[in-house]
Amino acid sequence: MKRVVAALTALLALGSGSAQTLVFGQSGLPVSMNAATDGNSLTVMYQVLENLVFVEPGGTELMPGLATAWESNDEGTVWTFTLREGVTFHDGTPFNAEAAKFNFDRWNDPEFEFGFRDEGATYEAWGYVFGGFLGDEAAVLSEANVIGEYTLELVLTRPMGFLPAALSSSYFGMHSPAAIREAGADYGTPTVGAVGTGPFRFVEWVDGSQVTLERFEDYWGDAAGVERLVFRGIEDPTARLAELQAGSIDIAVNLSPDDRATVENDPNLEVVTAESNLNVGYLAMHQANEPFDDPLVRQAVAHAIDWNEIVAAFFGEDAVVATQFVPPGLIGRDESLEPYAYDPERARELLAEAGYEGGFATELWYMPVSRPYFPAPEPIAAAMASYLADVGIQASLMTQDWGTYLDSYQTGAFPMYMLGWSADFADPDNFLYTFFSAAQQQSDLGWNDPEVAQMLEEARQEPDEEVRAQLYAEVNRRVHEAVPSIPVAHNPVLNAVRAGVEGFMPSPLGSTVPFSTVTKD
């Protein structure tokens, strides 16, 4: 909180007259500025687009955003949002209930005229947060209704007590309907970018190089502290640090934990971390690929790798070995769960029992970019493969372009793959439903456990928090036993800024970081 107060004080002192350019170094450029799900895209989009519900900078508490108030009926199935008046999109068109309804219809209705699904827009995040799309059995949103110029009604098929929190996630910023109608399927690409109501507006996206935003002078709230904001994609964390030291970028995120001492000993740099990090990195096994359809083989993988050594060698000193998919600090954990024990002899026994006494060959796909939950994917993958080889599993290391990687893992093309998650909102549903709902079991893992899927549906409708917590804990236990994927670590992220940069507030929620509070001398 002290950092928040200092940042806001600095911003007020500077006022809106600064003409500085702030350069931000992350592990990659956006994949898209429309319906993206990866952190590199969402961090950029969060500066341009705004949600009905905001999250406090650097924290997880909800705040009024483009909606100033919200309430539900007693059953929790009808929600009414009072929208902020006097807000315009960057193209000059008004934000109102009609614009908000346009966005909800675009996300929810597969037949919506301006959804451009035939051209590749999938709205994947809407599907896994809201149980699917209009017409799907588990879909939560039934309809969005305009009650007045600044009053929007959302009618749900079932209660969802955490709806305001879900709407605060960076997926659900409001886009200009006029801009979408004009750009068509090109909306969100480098040629068009995105048009929102945020403190920064899109200027330019040089594919393969950088994205440039500039302060929106007609912003309804406090003006951004810098005039121009440049996002650069620098894949290698060591290269990001080198550019930060050289002064060619002002902020570098997701640095290697090994570089902490270097940053701390440099008088021109300052370590900046979030108060907590709600994330998890994991190793998945897609059961469309034999022999990962055999639970004995998956258990063998879990026991073949020394997870304690992996985390000690490649993660920061404050990282913890994950025992389950819900990070510490959230409800729904089963604290009795332990990490899978490193026991190569037991792994060999399990393989023999499964009929693979001589082992087998497979592929292990690793991410081409560092993310908070995997700061160094390639060497971590190499270490995993080395452990697997010791028990007879010959895993070839594979990777590909980040955008293609994100498109491919759900197709079953990767027998084993590394991925992770940073929370969009502070609720266990955002982890467990995202990974293990009926739809995600099938697409992400080729797995089918109807009881787990049913418990997750019950938990998201349950008003009693204690009962919800019990349901999520039971899901964690069943996943731990069936091993469809293996949680690896919860990792505090190392970020650094150059001297003179104030107000950068990393979020426990990953990409939910506002840059409007950042100033630069």
Side-chain angles (χ1 to χ4, degrees):
M1 181 57 71
K2 290 180 179 178
R3 179 172 289 279
V4 174
V5 172
L8 295 176
T9 301
L11 181 59
L12 289 172
L14 184 68
S16 59
S18 172
Q20 295 285 359
T21 295
L22 184 81
V23 184
F24 180 79
Q26 56 183 14
S27 64
L29 290 173
V31 174
S32 169
M33 293 187 72
N34 177 30
T37 60
D38 67 294
N40 289 330
S41 300
L42 294 170
T43 300
V44 179
M45 293 166 64
Y46 198 69
Q47 318 312 317
V48 175
L49 309 167
E50 292 186 303
N51 298 51
L52 296 188
V53 181
F54 284 2
V55 178
E56 66 167 336
T60 59
E61 294 295 322
L62 302 183
M63 302 170 53
L66 291 182
T68 57
W70 50 86
E71 62 180 1
S72 74
N73 63 357
D74 291 342
E75 293 75 24
T77 53
V78 179
W79 289 76
T80 303
F81 291 82
T82 302
L83 305 185
R84 190 177 297 276
E85 299 183 27
V87 177
T88 61
F89 289 101
H90 302 154
D91 57 8
T93 57
F95 170 75
N96 52 29
E98 289 287 354
K101 173 180 167 54
F102 179 98
N103 278 273
F104 280 100
D105 287 346
R106 192 168 70 107
W107 295 323
N108 190 47
D109 185 355
E111 303 299 324
F112 188 62
E113 179 182 0
F114 299 101
F116 304 111
R117 284 168 166 81
D118 290 341
E119 288 78 14
T122 63
Y123 308 99
E124 177 187 355
W126 181 268
Y128 54 67
V129 174
F130 289 96
F133 304 96
L134 186 65
D136 293 342
E137 182 179 355
V140 171
L141 182 63
S142 172
E143 54 189 90
N145 299 317
V146 175
I147 304 302
E149 184 173 2
Y150 295 102
T151 305
L152 179 76
E153 178 186 81
L154 298 181
V155 181
L156 310 186
T157 61
R158 63 205 71 187
M160 184 178 178
F162 57 91
L163 176 69
L167 293 179
S168 73
S169 68
S170 51
Y171 304 127
F172 306 128
M174 291 284 142
H175 299 258
S176 162
I180 292 171
R181 289 189 178 101
E182 180 178 350
D186 289 335
Y187 185 81
T189 66
T191 57
V192 177
V195 179
T197 62
F200 291 96
R201 72 175 189 88
F202 175 80
V203 175
E204 182 184 41
W205 179 349
V206 181
D207 202 11
S209 177
Q210 64 184 42
V211 175
T212 301
L213 312 179
E214 69 179 15
R215 187 164 56 208
F216 180 43
E217 299 297 349
D218 294 328
Y219 182 57
W220 59 270
D222 294 333
V226 295
E227 183 179 56
R228 188 165 286 247
L229 178 58
V230 174
F231 289 85
R232 290 188 50 206
I234 306 169
E235 190 172 294
D236 179 41
T238 301
R240 283 200 294 281
L241 177 58
E243 292 222 28
L244 185 69
Q245 290 175 306
S248 53
I249 62 176
D250 300 300
I251 301 174
V253 293
N254 297 331
L255 296 173
S256 169
D258 294 338
D259 290 327
R260 187 180 189 97
T262 301
V263 175
E264 291 178 338
N265 292 326
D266 189 327
N268 295 313
L269 306 182
E270 178 187 359
V271 171
V272 182
T273 57
E275 293 181 356
S276 64
N277 285 103
L278 300 176
N279 63 42
V280 62
Y282 60 88
L283 174 66
M285 292 163 280
H286 203 293
Q287 296 175 35
N289 301 272
E290 294 182 351
F292 295 114
D293 55 337
D294 188 331
L296 296 175
V297 172
R298 302 196 299 272
Q299 291 168 13
V301 171
H303 287 296
I305 298 173
D306 190 335
W307 303 107
N308 288 306
E309 285 299 315
I310 291 282
V311 173
F314 299 106
F315 291 76
E317 59 187 25
D318 295 325
V320 296
V321 178
T323 62
Q324 53 208 293
F325 282 85
V326 175
L330 296 181
I331 67 167
R333 285 173 55 85
D334 180 346
E335 300 298 350
S336 70
L337 293 177
E338 297 284 344
Y340 297 102
Y342 174 53
D343 189 342
E345 187 57 36
R346 176 59 180 152
R348 293 187 190 94
E349 291 174 357
L350 288 163
L351 287 175
E353 189 176 345
Y356 293 92
E357 187 171 9
F360 60 91
T362 187
E363 296 174 351
L364 194 170
W365 288 75
Y366 65 90
M367 304 145 48
V369 297
S370 61
R371 300 294 300 135
Y373 37 78
F374 275 128
E378 184 174 6
I380 293 173
M384 289 181 182
S386 177
Y387 280 114
L388 293 173
D390 288 344
V391 300
I393 301 174
Q394 305 301 323
S396 301
L397 298 187
M398 310 285 286
T399 193
Q400 62 186 178
D401 168 77
W402 184 221
T404 309
Y405 190 99
L406 293 172
D407 289 338
S408 300
Y409 79 92
Q410 293 181 315
T411 68
F414 300 167
M416 304 178 73
Y417 63 89
M418 295 163 58
L419 205 58
W421 193 258
S422 295
D424 303 306
F425 51 95
D427 193 281
D429 182 271
N430 190 229
F431 287 88
L432 296 181
Y433 197 86
T434 299
F435 299 140
F436 306 118
S437 71
Q440 300 309 125
Q441 287 184 28
Q442 291 290 336
S443 62
D444 296 11
L445 301 165
W447 187 45
N448 180 26
D449 188 328
E451 292 188 38
V452 164
Q454 180 60 34
M455 283 191 285
L456 290 173
E457 293 294 344
E458 293 175 7
R460 60 180 9 210
Q461 300 176 48
E462 174 57 54
D464 187 316
E465 185 166 287
E466 185 174 342
V467 176
R468 286 188 79 214
Q470 292 171 356
L471 287 165
Y472 289 128
E474 178 59 23
V475 169
N476 276 314
R477 287 190 287 273
R478 288 181 67 98
V479 169
H480 191 272
E481 181 178 345
V483 205
S485 51
I486 302 168
V488 177
H490 307 294
N491 184 45
V493 180
L494 176 62
N495 312 301
V497 303
R498 285 193 61 79
V501 173
E502 298 287 346
F504 176 60
M505 291 175 280
S507 170
L509 304 177
S511 56
T512 314
V513 181
F515 283 82
S516 59
T517 60
V518 180
T519 63
K520 176 183 173 183
D521 289 342

